[in-house]
Amino acid sequence: MPTVEELYRNYGILADATEQVGQHKDAYQVILDGVKGGTKEKRLAAQFIPKFFKHFPELADSAINAQLDLCEDEDVSIRRQAIKELPQFATGENLPRVADILTQLLQTDDSAEFNLVNNALLSIFKMDAKGTLGGLFSQILQGEDIVRERAIKFLSTKLKTLPDEVLTKEVEELILTESKKVLEDVTGEEFVLFMKILSGLKSLQTVSGRQQLVELVAEQADLEQTFNPSDPDCVDRLLQCTRQAVPLFSKNVHSTRFVTYFCEQVLPNLSSLTTPVEGLDIQLEVLKLLAEMSSFCGDMEKLETNLRKLFDKLLEYMPLPPEEAENGENAGNEEPKLQFSYVECLLYSFHQLGRKLPDFLTAKLNAEKLKDFKIRLQYFARGLQVYIRQLRLALQGKTGEALKTEENKIKVVALKITNNINVLIKDLFHIPPSYKSTVTLSWKPVQKVEIGQKRANEDTTSGSPPKKSSAGPKRDARQIYNPPSGKYSSNLGNFNYGERFRLGTSNMRD
């Protein structure tokens, strides 16, 4: 084993040799043997080996293996030095191997080491993006779980920082190709990260690119399979996939396939849904996704069938008024609860699809069924008006900090929900029913449009929320408070119409 003095002497031989350095193989071998020495020798070897690596291609394997030994040394300072120098080995056919090694080193628990590995990977990415991707995806597909997890996170966070000259069209095509292989077997979290990776690629931000992503999501969601509402994993997969698909939909990238699946397979089983997510109102979550997608349907073969399923589900949440006894009092013990959160979603979805078949309520239903629906609408609207008045009175004069209390945040959202339902019901009361009104769903941010400013229309449809501008939506103080849907649903979704005249906190809860 060489001493520190011998390492310096052989380093001098190589440094002084200039163009003839490749003729001093023995001197380089002495430096390679430095990895077998003590701490000082190893530190010098970690610096000297990569400096002359390119001059000795016949010793490439030995040099890389020696440096890798140093990357795994017990001394953290030696490991850090060795990792820092690894990009110097990334030449020609050695680059994919170095990328593979660096990817494996992502499993380190030392934060400084981890940052060095990230920087080294970014460095070789800029040298050869395709070769680096080869090493990364090799570990994602075949490496240990911790390496796979961190390699995916590296891609999801670092790709967007790379310049266009690195992320060329060919490189993006390779990312898509390799990602498809990984997506054949992923967890829910991994799927979300890969959708983040792919949706950030410039080549997939066109209409055809977004359509390709939607098809990927549809395949992942198993839309060809029969839905199993009692299987939490099946339910969770559908929700995870649909959440990723929703931002991709536009007037040119249609949601028809997803909406049809929800209407045919999910709505009839709504009350049977199970979820592994504790505290999640799974039914409301499904109805929200359906509402968001309903604005972007294209031509639909089963439009009438889907409308009928929506209509039937809507009736479940729009009760008939209770029968009156002879003395004029309610014959039942209590009046039905009005579930405003659910009704907003279903009514909005019905309103959106109804535009495509405007005679559904008049020509497609018999007179008795239409009369029954009008009675339900009228009863619901009556309770709605009382609740809206209560909410407006409770919020009257409140601004700024006063609106930031938890109770008032809930009331603000409740007012948005009830106002939306009110607008949609008014449309359906027209003779014939109208589908012209537009509302912004209560959980979506409301954008202000300056006078004289045209709305962005590339990705919006009538009745859908305006497309977000790059600067982000501008919202007033009362519009920004959107409490979590599950919390709102449990507190406000089931307003008891029989208690409507008692104003106060108790009136805002079941």
Side-chain angles (χ1 to χ4, degrees):
M1 291 181 292
T3 63
V4 169
E5 290 75 16
E6 288 174 322
L7 287 172
Y8 272 118
R9 185 169 60 252
N10 283 279
Y11 173 84
I13 292 172
L14 295 173
D16 294 340
T18 59
E19 294 181 3
Q20 284 75 43
V21 63
Q23 299 175 12
H24 298 276
K25 184 177 177 181
D26 290 344
Y28 191 60
Q29 185 62 57
V30 170
I31 289 175
L32 291 180
D33 291 339
V35 301
K36 302 172 184 176
T39 300
K40 292 180 179 179
E41 289 80 11
K42 288 178 180 179
R43 285 178 182 170
L44 288 175
Q47 298 174 59
F48 295 168
I49 292 173
K51 186 173 181 63
F52 301 105
F53 169 75
K54 63 182 179 180
H55 300 291
F56 301 96
E58 69 276 18
L59 293 175
D61 283 345
S62 297
I64 293 174
N65 288 333
Q67 194 77 4
L68 184 56
D69 286 342
L70 296 174
C71 290
E72 297 174 343
D73 197 85
E74 292 181 358
D75 189 313
V76 64
S77 64
I78 293 174
R79 294 201 306 269
R80 290 175 184 174
Q81 182 65 47
I83 291 169
K84 183 179 179 181
E85 304 294 342
L86 269 179
Q88 295 192 56
F89 295 86
T91 57
E93 62 184 17
N94 295 314
L95 189 140
R97 182 181 175 190
V98 173
D100 192 284
I101 292 169
L102 283 168
T103 305
Q104 292 182 60
L105 290 172
L106 284 170
Q107 65 187 294
T108 178
D109 292 325
D110 182 276
S111 59
E113 266 183 69
F114 184 76
N115 290 333
L116 285 171
V117 174
N118 272 268
N119 291 336
L121 273 170
L122 283 173
S123 175
I124 67 171
F125 219 119
K126 293 172 183 176
M127 299 179 197
D128 182 351
K130 287 186 175 180
T132 306
L133 286 169
L136 280 162
F137 276 103
S138 172
Q139 286 300 316
I140 290 172
L141 287 166
Q142 302 170 10
E144 296 179 9
D145 289 347
I146 183 65
V147 175
R148 173 186 171 100
E149 174 189 335
R150 293 187 179 180
I152 293 172
K153 286 184 178 178
F154 173 86
L155 287 174
S156 69
T157 56
K158 302 300 183 183
L159 280 183
K160 60 187 177 185
T161 68
L162 296 171
D164 290 345
E165 57 265 26
V166 174
L167 284 180
T168 62
K169 183 179 179 181
E170 291 74 20
V171 170
E172 292 194 345
E173 287 175 352
L174 177 61
I175 293 171
L176 177 60
T177 300
E178 294 299 314
S179 295
K180 286 180 178 179
K181 296 177 185 176
V182 181
L183 288 172
E184 291 176 6
D185 182 18
V186 288
T187 65
E189 182 181 359
E190 289 172 346
F191 174 68
V192 170
L193 287 174
F194 267 101
M195 288 306 299
K196 179 182 177 182
I197 293 167
L198 296 176
S199 59
L201 300 180
K202 185 170 61 176
S203 60
L204 292 179
Q205 291 174 6
T206 61
V207 169
S208 60
R210 291 200 303 273
Q211 185 61 55
Q212 195 171 354
L213 289 177
V214 168
E215 290 168 4
L216 261 180
V217 177
E219 183 177 337
Q220 194 71 27
D222 270 347
L223 296 187
E224 298 299 326
Q225 301 299 316
T226 301
F227 181 65
N228 183 359
S230 61
D231 181 354
D233 290 336
C234 177
V235 175
D236 188 54
R237 181 176 64 247
L238 179 63
L239 291 186
Q240 289 268 28
C241 292
T242 307
R243 288 191 192 108
Q244 298 306 309
V246 167
L248 301 171
F249 296 135
S250 69
K251 69 176 183 179
N252 297 315
V253 182
H254 296 153
S255 60
T256 312
R257 189 176 174 190
F258 279 84
V259 171
T260 297
Y261 189 83
F262 269 60
C263 288
E264 289 185 345
Q265 303 263 355
V266 185
L267 278 186
N269 297 295
L270 193 63
S271 60
S272 306
L273 296 179
T274 55
T275 174
V277 184
E278 186 177 351
L280 177 69
D281 186 338
I282 187 67
Q283 297 183 47
L284 182 58
E285 187 68 15
V286 164
L287 295 179
K288 281 186 171 185
L289 289 171
L290 177 58
E292 291 189 48
M293 294 188 294
S294 64
S295 301
F296 303 112
C297 283
D299 294 335
M300 188 181 291
E301 289 182 10
K302 301 178 180 179
L303 175 58
E304 184 179 342
T305 301
N306 290 337
L307 263 172
R308 192 172 296 281
K309 289 184 181 295
L310 260 174
F311 181 79
D312 290 343
K313 184 58 64 174
L314 178 60
L315 290 183
E316 292 181 24
Y317 294 97
M318 301 198 78
L320 286 165
E323 295 181 6
E324 292 187 354
E326 293 181 2
N327 59 4
E329 297 292 332
N330 289 339
N333 293 327
E334 61 176 27
E335 297 191 26
K337 292 182 178 180
L338 306 184
Q339 296 177 301
F340 294 127
S341 297
Y342 290 22
V343 170
E344 179 196 17
C345 299
L346 286 163
L347 202 55
Y348 181 88
S349 301
F350 180 78
H351 193 267
Q352 293 296 311
L353 294 191
R355 291 176 176 178
K356 299 179 178 297
L357 194 62
D359 63 347
F360 176 80
L361 286 175
T362 53
K364 301 298 180 181
L365 292 175
N366 60 48
E368 279 303 311
K369 199 157 190 177
L370 180 56
K371 180 182 178 182
D372 172 84
F373 183 50
K374 291 277 186 162
I375 292 172
R376 293 171 188 267
L377 281 178
Q378 191 171 36
Y379 174 66
F380 202 95
R382 222 170 56 226
L384 194 69
Q385 292 301 323
V386 173
Y387 197 24
I388 289 174
R389 285 197 297 271
Q390 291 176 341
L391 287 168
R392 286 176 177 166
L393 182 61
L395 293 169
Q396 189 173 8
K398 290 184 172 63
T399 57
E401 291 299 318
L403 286 173
K404 293 182 181 180
T405 66
E406 194 64 27
E407 183 178 345
N408 284 333
K409 287 180 187 180
I410 292 172
K411 291 175 183 175
V412 169
V413 179
L415 189 58
K416 291 168 73 173
I417 291 175
T418 48
N419 279 332
N420 282 348
I421 297 173
N422 193 41
V423 170
L424 297 174
I425 286 179
K426 284 182 179 179
D427 253 18
L428 297 180
F429 263 127
H430 284 154
I431 302 176
S434 169
Y435 299 93
K436 294 180 180 179
S437 294
T438 61
V439 299
T440 299
L441 291 163
S442 60
W443 60 92
K444 307 290 286 183
V446 178
Q447 288 183 301
K448 290 182 179 178
V449 179
E450 302 295 334
I451 296 175
Q453 176 186 351
K454 293 183 178 179
R455 289 182 180 271
N457 57 17
E458 203 281 323
D459 279 325
T460 57
T461 59
S462 181
S464 65
K467 182 180 179 181
K468 290 185 178 179
S469 65
S470 58
K474 295 180 180 180
R475 290 168 281 175
D476 63 32
R478 292 180 60 169
Q479 291 166 333
I480 63 175
Y481 304 118
N482 286 341
S485 61
K487 186 166 186 178
Y488 171 74
S489 173
S490 62
N491 288 341
L492 272 175
N494 300 324
F495 171 62
N496 190 327
Y497 181 57
E499 297 179 347
R500 63 186 181 276
F501 294 108
R502 293 213 306 274
L503 183 61
T505 304
S506 62
N507 187 37
M508 298 298 162
R509 305 182 183 278
D510 289 353

